[in-house]
Amino acid sequence: MNFTIAQSDLLEFYESGEKQLISFFEKLNNASDKKIRILHYGDSQIEGDRMTSFIRQRIQSQFGGTGPGFIPAVNVYPTFTFESEYSSNFMRYTNFGGQALTSNRYGILNSVGRFTPEPNDSVIIDSLKVETAWIQIAPGERAYSLAKQYNTIYLHYSDATERCLLNIYQNDVLVQTDSLINDGKYHVYTFQTENNPQKVRFEFKSKVSPNILGFSLDGENGVQVDNIGMR
């Protein structure tokens, strides 16, 4: 069977668009010694890493890179790329419907996890008790091969105003104890792991929760393709 492709079926670019596409691929070709991020925003059609997972595997296979990139603190969509669980006191706040933050400080994922409500001027901090909460992350068994490989987990957080202890467990074994910086600003906490990290649990203890903006599961170099489904 012969197929004829009409001129109207072809993708056409203006000169400026063609230059931008060439520049994009030039950056991908130079990703071997640096890290490049592609943020894929969408609605329910991409939630759960649909489409993005395949695109990521193809791009990383050709241009380098490992890991699924950014994932939300409180993940409510089933996904085969990673497995995520969290304690029942973690609450999800979003910038696209649902419960909203009064501060509007969501980060690039447009969603935040908190294990205590946002404080207000009437709250007496000394009267609060210390709350314990956790988030657990593991590679998905059915994930594409390169998405399973990452050697660093970045914890992105902001609005930490009270002391917050952090315990990190790998395969249920405590491997690291630290505390978050409580100056209220945006920070990234780095946890180095092996290329096969298996199960990692972040346990938080504080009277007032920081904004957990999400995690990024990355390799050292190459292309990161982040799935940001908003519904």
Side-chain angles (χ1 to χ4, degrees):
M1 183 179 295
N2 296 322
F3 294 93
T4 301
I5 300 177
Q7 186 68 28
S8 59
D9 294 329
L10 299 176
L11 292 175
E12 296 184 8
F13 296 94
Y14 291 105
E15 184 177 349
S16 60
E18 185 176 354
K19 289 180 179 179
Q20 291 174 3
L21 195 61
I22 291 172
S23 174
F24 172 70
F25 279 100
E26 286 177 346
K27 288 181 171 61
L28 293 184
N29 281 321
N30 294 322
S32 59
D33 59 349
K34 64 182 69 175
K35 188 179 294 186
I36 294 176
R37 307 205 78 92
I38 299 174
L39 277 62
H40 187 189
Y41 283 91
D43 55 15
S44 60
Q45 295 303 315
I46 72 164
E47 70 184 23
D49 217 21
R50 286 201 297 268
M51 293 190 285
T52 311
S53 57
F54 176 75
I55 295 170
R56 178 189 303 115
Q57 176 73 10
R58 292 295 296 271
I59 289 178
Q60 290 180 337
S61 296
Q62 184 169 351
F63 300 103
T66 58
F70 274 100
I71 67 171
V74 180
N75 181 56
V76 297
Y77 310 128
T79 174
F80 59 82
T81 302
F82 63 91
E83 297 177 1
S84 177
E85 300 178 48
Y86 49 87
S87 56
S88 60
N89 54 346
F90 253 108
M91 298 167 286
R92 179 177 183 249
Y93 298 81
T94 68
N95 194 30
F96 44 85
Q99 192 167 359
L101 287 174
T102 58
S103 66
N104 289 319
R105 289 165 61 86
Y106 293 96
I108 66 171
L109 297 181
N110 279 313
S111 67
V112 162
R114 291 185 60 90
F115 54 88
T116 68
E118 287 184 279
N120 54 55
D121 295 338
S122 64
V123 172
I124 301 174
I125 302 299
D126 290 342
S127 67
L128 300 176
K129 67 175 183 177
V130 174
E131 300 286 345
T132 300
W134 53 268
I135 298 173
Q136 184 169 281
I137 303 165
E141 292 184 0
R142 297 182 296 147
Y144 284 103
S145 59
L146 293 175
K148 291 182 179 181
Q149 303 172 34
Y150 50 89
N151 51 27
T152 309
I153 299 178
Y154 299 98
L155 163 63
H156 301 258
Y157 68 95
S158 69
D159 296 79
T161 56
E162 301 297 322
R163 188 183 186 205
C164 183
L165 297 178
L166 174 65
N167 293 322
I168 301 178
Y169 296 80
Q170 191 162 12
N171 297 326
D172 298 322
V173 177
L174 179 63
V175 295
Q176 197 161 304
T177 298
D178 210 335
S179 59
L180 301 183
I181 300 172
N182 60 342
D183 61 2
K185 299 179 181 179
Y186 166 73
H187 294 282
V188 180
Y189 186 92
T190 303
F191 175 65
Q192 296 286 346
T193 182
E194 299 176 358
N195 281 339
N196 184 18
Q198 299 182 23
K199 183 171 60 177
V200 178
R201 184 168 77 252
F202 292 80
E203 182 185 77
F204 307 89
K205 294 185 178 182
S206 182
K207 291 184 176 181
V208 179
S209 172
N211 286 349
I212 307 300
L213 305 175
F215 300 86
S216 48
L217 317 179
D218 293 356
E220 292 182 1
N221 297 309
V223 185
Q224 306 299 147
V225 183
D226 307 308
N227 173 265
I228 307 175
M230 298 183 295
R231 182 171 67 131

